Amino acid sequence: MNLKNKSIVVLLSGGLDSSTVTGIAKKSEAKIFGLSFDYGQRHKKELNSASIIAKHFDIEEFKIIKLDLSLWGGSSLTDSQKNIPIEGVQANKIPNTYVPGRNTIFISVALSYAEAIDADFIGLGVNALDYSGYPDCRPDYIKKFQELADLANKRGRENNPIKLWTPLLDLNKEEIIKLAFDNHVPFDKTWSCYSGNSKPCGKCDSCRIRNAAYEKWLNNKNKK
Amino acid sequence: MNLKNKSIVVLLSGGLDSSTVTGIAKKSEAKIFGLSFDYGQRHKKELNSASIIAKHFDIEEFKIIKLDLSLWGGSSLTDSQKNIPIEGVQANKIPNTYVPGRNTIFISVALSYAEAIDADFIGLGVNALDYSGYPDCRPDYIKKFQELADLANKRGRENNPIKLWTPLLDLNKEEIIKLAFDNHVPFDKTWSCYSGNSKPCGKCDSCRIRNAAYEKWLNNKNKK
């Protein structure tokens, strides 16, 4: 995908994945417009990381949108009465950290922003190998959202649709960590933990997946 | 469609169409959860109408969500530098009152709310006959959004998807006005005008379409 001088809206949460997408876009010399959400998440501190990554890559514009999904909760990330699971990812089970409709909302808002500034791409850090099993991170969902985008706006109706760009979709977490370092992502500045504590908890799915992959990546690197 | 005792999230803007959907749902004895957006629209006063309609039909819950789309504008409804067109609807042309991504965002948020409260339906006042030509009000778009909803969340993945309900989709505005009166909608309390003035301007597309249909409905009624 040639992104040189193309405008791209990146959904930048401040986590490893979206920071890596930002790094890849930067290396490709795209014009990057970062978009974060203050949605009532427990781990609001990820927004600090998003700001740091935005500055680090000197992107064109960085916006934080307020949209309070804790108004109806339905997830342990937006409802403090629910506990973050620490028993590890269960096969074929959607954990309670799943936030109803979150990615659908975020991509929709990105689509609005992209259309208004005439951007050609929306960059997403979704991946469906080492992940928490969320329905809105899977390849069939992303494909369907592209079909929707093709109908949802002027650009789509004029056969010049805004394209969803998901460079991490089929990668495992170790490969993503490698890409992060290859693309100058300040790894230690990204924030993946679901808890809002000062240090990553090490127990939530997000920490477990990240830490296990980091160990693996480090071992493989040291072997060489 | 049997809505009796079913929970339904209705996107209630305070306009004629969404108020009519609310009225139909009420007559069907559904449990109605109204959702409005304070999105930086010029005609923010429509939210007063939405509140009045919500009270009139004594719905279960009514929420107004803040989400500032004027951050990037791209529409005469969210950018005060742009003028509302008064030359009438042009065939095959999308007018500048089109707000990038608006319906995609609104339906996405409704999907999140519906999933969190375990509602079975999302009620939408979209119609594609006497309308402004927006891409995100057309039947193919609605059909595609349903396909997305079927993949986007737990309910969809468990083959029990939340259904988009669009009872006005194929009706003309005169038929909608008839339905409004049949379902006890307080017509004069609804607000359709794109301008934010104290009285409807009578010149914008929304006023023109509504007024022409009302005249027609009144004439036909008086003939009988």
Side-chain angles (χ1 to χ4, degrees):
Chain A
M1 181 95 62
N2 186 2
L3 295 177
K4 194 171 174 175
N5 294 326
K6 298 280 186 186
S7 291
I8 174 167
V9 171
V10 174
L11 284 181
L12 179 58
S13 70
L16 169 64
D17 301 334
S18 63
S19 300
T20 302
V21 170
T22 308
I24 300 170
K26 184 69 187 180
K27 215 180 194 177
S28 308
E29 298 178 48
K31 290 181 196 157
I32 302 164
F33 298 78
L35 189 60
S36 286
F37 289 85
D38 178 358
Y39 63 94
Q41 68 267 54
R42 187 190 281 261
H43 55 312
K44 188 173 166 170
K45 66 174 288 177
E46 67 177 359
L47 296 177
N48 296 332
S49 289
S51 296
I52 291 169
I53 300 298
K55 270 192 202 127
H56 173 83
F57 285 119
D58 190 25
I59 70 177
E60 308 285 323
E61 210 168 66
F62 175 60
K63 289 190 192 291
I64 296 178
I65 306 297
K66 265 185 179 272
L67 174 67
D68 190 5
L69 298 181
S70 71
L71 278 170
W72 43 78
S75 164
S76 59
L77 292 193
T78 51
D79 180 349
S80 57
Q81 304 294 311
K82 289 185 170 146
N83 292 322
I84 302 272
I86 54 170
E87 66 273 18
V89 177
Q90 317 282 306
N92 299 322
K93 220 185 137 186
I94 298 169
N96 79 6
T97 50
Y98 164 68
V99 180
R102 184 176 55 180
N103 271 359
T104 312
I105 295 170
F106 289 2
I107 304 173
S108 299
V109 177
L111 198 62
S112 172
Y113 184 25
E115 191 178 8
I117 63 169
D118 210 24
D120 292 306
F121 296 95
I122 294 172
L124 305 170
V126 291
N127 56 92
L129 277 182
D130 293 331
Y131 80 132
S132 301
Y134 301 152
D136 51 1
C137 288
R138 301 180 197 175
D140 59 352
Y141 166 81
I142 297 294
K143 186 169 170 282
K144 192 60 78 181
F145 205 115
Q146 181 66 60
E147 292 173 26
L148 184 74
D150 294 352
L151 298 175
N153 52 35
K154 268 191 184 183
R155 288 276 302 263
R157 296 285 179 176
E158 287 161 1
N159 288 320
N160 181 27
I162 295 159
K163 291 283 179 197
L164 305 185
W165 178 59
T166 57
L168 314 181
L169 194 60
D170 304 316
L171 303 185
N172 66 36
K173 203 58 108 186
E174 195 190 342
E175 292 168 316
I176 294 172
I177 291 177
K178 188 180 174 313
L179 263 183
F181 284 108
D182 288 351
N183 288 281
H184 314 296
V185 173
F187 182 76
D188 59 327
K189 298 290 198 314
T190 65
W191 182 268
S192 300
C193 178
Y194 288 146
S195 84
N197 303 331
S198 56
K199 287 188 176 174
C201 73
K203 293 174 191 163
C204 70
D205 291 349
S206 190
C207 276
R208 279 168 190 263
I209 293 172
R210 173 181 172 132
N211 293 348
Y214 183 73
E215 287 285 318
K216 229 168 148 185
W217 172 79
L218 208 60
N219 282 338
N220 280 332
K221 193 172 160 256
N222 292 338
K223 268 188 209 152
K224 283 169 194 166
Chain B
M1 181 95 61
N2 185 2
L3 294 177
K4 192 169 175 176
N5 294 326
K6 297 280 184 185
S7 291
I8 173 167
V9 172
V10 174
L11 284 181
L12 178 58
S13 70
L16 168 64
D17 301 333
S18 63
S19 301
T20 302
V21 170
T22 309
I24 300 171
K26 185 69 187 183
K27 214 180 195 178
S28 309
E29 299 178 49
K31 291 180 195 156
I32 303 165
F33 298 79
L35 189 59
S36 287
F37 289 83
D38 178 358
Y39 63 95
Q41 68 268 55
R42 186 190 283 261
H43 53 312
K44 189 172 166 170
K45 66 174 291 180
E46 66 176 0
L47 296 177
N48 296 332
S49 290
S51 296
I52 292 169
I53 300 297
K55 270 191 204 128
H56 173 83
F57 285 118
D58 190 24
I59 70 178
E60 307 286 324
E61 209 168 68
F62 174 59
K63 289 188 192 293
I64 297 178
I65 306 297
K66 264 185 180 275
L67 173 66
D68 190 4
L69 298 181
S70 71
L71 279 169
W72 43 77
S75 164
S76 60
L77 293 192
T78 51
D79 180 349
S80 56
Q81 303 295 311
K82 289 184 169 147
N83 291 324
I84 302 271
I86 54 172
E87 67 274 16
V89 177
Q90 316 283 305
N92 298 320
K93 221 185 135 185
I94 299 169
N96 78 6
T97 50
Y98 164 68
V99 180
R102 184 175 57 179
N103 271 0
T104 312
I105 294 169
F106 289 3
I107 304 173
S108 299
V109 176
L111 198 62
S112 172
Y113 184 25
E115 192 179 7
I117 63 169
D118 210 23
D120 292 306
F121 296 94
I122 294 171
L124 305 170
V126 290
N127 56 92
L129 277 182
D130 294 330
Y131 81 132
S132 302
Y134 301 152
D136 51 2
C137 288
R138 302 181 196 174
D140 59 351
Y141 166 81
I142 296 295
K143 186 168 171 282
K144 191 60 77 179
F145 206 116
Q146 181 66 61
E147 291 173 27
L148 185 74
D150 294 352
L151 298 175
N153 53 35
K154 268 191 185 184
R155 287 277 301 264
R157 296 286 179 175
E158 288 162 1
N159 289 320
N160 181 28
I162 295 158
K163 292 283 180 198
L164 304 186
W165 179 58
T166 57
L168 315 182
L169 195 60
D170 304 317
L171 303 185
N172 66 36
K173 203 59 107 185
E174 194 190 341
E175 293 168 315
I176 293 170
I177 291 177
K178 187 180 176 310
L179 263 183
F181 284 108
D182 288 350
N183 288 280
H184 315 296
V185 172
F187 183 76
D188 59 328
K189 297 291 198 315
T190 64
W191 182 267
S192 300
C193 177
Y194 288 146
S195 84
N197 303 332
S198 57
K199 286 189 177 175
C201 73
K203 294 175 192 163
C204 70
D205 291 349
S206 191
C207 276
R208 279 167 190 263
I209 293 173
R210 174 182 171 132
N211 292 348
Y214 182 74
E215 287 286 316
K216 228 168 148 185
W217 172 80
L218 208 60
N219 282 337
N220 280 332
K221 194 172 158 254
N222 291 339
K223 268 188 212 152
K224 283 170 196 163

